[in-house]
Amino acid sequence: MNKQIITITGAAGNIAYSLIFRILSGSIFSDNVKIQINLLDITPALGILKGVKYEIEDCAFEKLDSIIITDKPDEAFADSDYILLVGAKPRSKGMQRADLLLDNASIFQKQAIIINEVAKKTSQIIVVGNPANTNALIVQHFAKNIPDENITSLMRLDQNRAKSILSNKLKQTVDSISRLIVWGNHSATQYPDLTNTLISGDDSLVKKIDMTWIIETFIPRVQKRGAEIIEHRGKSSAASAASAIYDHLNALVNSSNDWESMGVMRSNDYDISNEIFFSYPLIIENSIISINNDLKLTDDSFKYIKESEAELLTERNIIRSILKD
Ligand code: NAD
Ligand code: LMR
């Protein structure tokens, strides 16, 4: 039997309450793999974690090996294969995700220092807590023992949103849509890009879409979808975020036939700084992520992605003093 250890931070929170159960009931890992799940939250949330643990047990998941609940990051991260950094403050109505930066930065700084000490060098880290791309930069800075390639931030929620909105527009199934990618920051400057998108391998339907719909409806709708959810639910997205984390993890473990969107810090051919976590069109083969550097960008696309880069460079400037430590 093969065992994988998955750590989830913020395990008493909203996203985790969907995520844990998706992972344990899902099919990312093959049948001969058992999962040890390490659940980390802060001390006042230990009571909630105990309830979550009982509920996990009550599901009698065949894939479950064991559960650790803890408020000690070193215990949670030790020997972990996948570290899902969810635990952080969410925004509320009227806030931008970047408004969380200074509140959440210290969480990621402290955890990254401990990850650096106790985690496996091969561990894959997925940063979810907002602002996810810049928190990933903090993790990269303080967890130098983990290769940069093993750190990614969540953009799959944006990619899924874009796919679903396009699917409704064209009355085509989501699984017929490919090569729909989201560039940039997980924020209102992200650029959902239909330039190369195919429906059942063909570009003719997408090419017929009116540009006014793309510019005035599609792009802003995807960019502001998180805020739209908060407006209606009073809380930020949780089940859809968990589903996107599941998809992201699945792509890392099992690779992907389609282009993926994730925040990565890499040299690239698109004139984007390699000192920020930025979402590109990615190819994942044999669990190795590479940027698809072959796309020709229109002037408009280039403008969008440079705007998102500028925002991420501003976020990096805001945390510059933290990165000096
Ligand atoms: P939540 O408030 O329901 O849960 C957050 C949990 O984190 C709480 O249980 C809290 O106690 C815990 N926590 C706080 N500090 C911690 C620490 N130092 N160590 C461990 N746990 C800690 O929030 P949520 O809805 O689950 O969202 C979590 C984060 O994910 C937010 O920052 C939210 O904005 C972000 N998010 C990101 C995306 C994305 O696509 N990147 C999508 C949705 C939400
Ligand atoms: C989302 O996109 O739903 C999350 O990042 C939560 C938020 O603040 O919008």
Side-chain angles (χ1 to χ4, degrees):
M1 186 197 74
N2 181 351
K3 186 168 94 173
Q4 295 287 302
I5 304 181
I6 301 179
T7 301
I8 299 177
T9 72
N14 280 307
I15 294 178
Y17 195 63
S18 286
L19 178 62
I20 296 165
F21 299 88
R22 274 302 298 278
I23 291 176
L24 289 170
S25 62
S27 56
I28 295 179
F29 299 98
S30 55
D31 287 346
N32 64 345
V33 173
K34 297 279 181 207
I35 298 170
Q36 173 181 320
I37 196 122
N38 293 357
L39 303 178
L40 175 73
D41 211 294
I42 52 176
T43 312
L46 279 176
I48 299 173
L49 278 190
K50 192 176 252 189
V52 172
K53 176 173 188 262
Y54 290 160
E55 282 206 72
I56 298 169
E57 288 170 356
D58 292 350
C59 293
F61 288 120
E62 289 179 8
K63 284 198 155 61
L64 181 66
D65 173 82
S66 49
I67 311 164
I68 290 179
I69 57 170
T70 182
D71 58 354
K72 297 181 184 57
D74 53 345
E75 190 184 359
F77 298 136
D79 295 325
S80 190
D81 297 291
Y82 298 94
I83 297 179
L84 315 183
L85 296 177
V86 180
K89 198 172 151 184
R91 66 171 165 156
S92 45
K93 273 187 201 177
M95 288 172 81
Q96 296 300 315
R97 295 182 188 92
D99 296 337
L100 298 168
L101 194 45
L102 291 173
D103 276 348
N104 284 340
S106 70
I107 297 178
F108 289 87
Q109 177 183 8
K110 284 183 197 135
Q111 290 182 349
I113 290 169
I114 298 170
I115 288 171
N116 203 43
E117 284 164 11
V118 306
K120 281 187 190 164
K121 313 296 171 244
T122 52
S123 171
Q124 288 279 349
I125 301 179
I126 304 174
V127 181
V128 177
N130 275 319
N133 303 52
T134 299
N135 287 333
L137 185 63
I138 296 175
V139 173
Q140 182 274 340
H141 182 84
F142 289 100
K144 287 280 188 264
N145 286 332
I146 308 290
D148 296 352
E149 296 75 39
N150 290 16
I151 305 171
T152 52
S153 57
L154 187 72
M155 295 293 295
R156 181 59 184 257
L157 180 54
D158 308 292
Q159 194 179 20
N160 286 349
R161 287 168 171 165
K163 236 183 205 185
S164 166
I165 291 170
L166 182 68
S167 145
N168 285 333
K169 164 80 176 167
L170 294 179
K171 311 265 176 299
Q172 300 291 321
T173 58
V174 281
D175 59 327
S176 68
I177 301 174
S178 60
R179 302 189 172 186
L180 198 182
I181 34 125
V182 179
W183 300 78
N185 194 6
H186 175 62
S187 76
T189 66
Q190 65 181 269
Y191 173 45
D193 180 5
L194 295 178
T195 317
N196 302 284
T197 301
L198 305 176
I199 307 292
S200 301
D202 183 274
D203 67 357
S204 52
L205 271 181
V206 177
K207 290 276 175 272
K208 277 189 211 136
I209 299 175
D210 178 13
M211 272 314 281
T212 312
W213 180 81
I214 295 179
I215 293 166
E216 291 180 9
T217 304
F218 174 71
I219 295 174
R221 189 98 203 261
V222 180
Q223 288 173 329
K224 295 183 192 141
R225 186 63 158 191
E228 201 181 349
I229 304 283
I230 294 170
E231 191 59 39
H232 290 284
R233 235 171 71 83
K235 286 195 268 188
S236 70
S237 66
S240 56
S243 193
I245 299 166
Y246 179 93
D247 293 340
H248 180 123
L249 181 61
N250 188 37
L252 289 182
V253 175
N254 296 314
S255 300
S256 175
N257 295 326
D258 194 5
W259 297 353
E260 295 288 330
S261 301
M262 294 177 179
V264 296
M265 196 177 84
R266 297 281 173 100
S267 296
N268 61 87
D269 291 351
Y270 295 111
D271 192 30
I272 296 296
S273 164
N274 63 1
E275 295 182 352
I276 51 177
F277 277 77
F278 192 90
S279 182
Y280 302 90
L282 301 177
I283 312 261
I284 309 184
E285 279 171 354
N286 301 321
S287 295
I288 297 186
I289 303 175
S290 54
I291 296 179
N292 178 351
N293 272 313
D294 296 336
L295 305 188
K296 291 206 174 25
L297 293 180
T298 62
D299 289 348
D300 284 344
S301 294
F302 192 63
K303 225 169 100 198
Y304 277 115
I305 72 170
K306 286 310 259 184
E307 196 186 325
S308 207
E309 179 197 39
E311 181 184 48
L312 280 164
L313 291 171
T314 304
E315 288 184 18
R316 191 187 58 163
N317 273 342
I318 296 171
I319 54 150
R320 200 173 273 284
S321 62
I322 295 172
L323 297 182
K324 283 205 182 102
D325 289 355

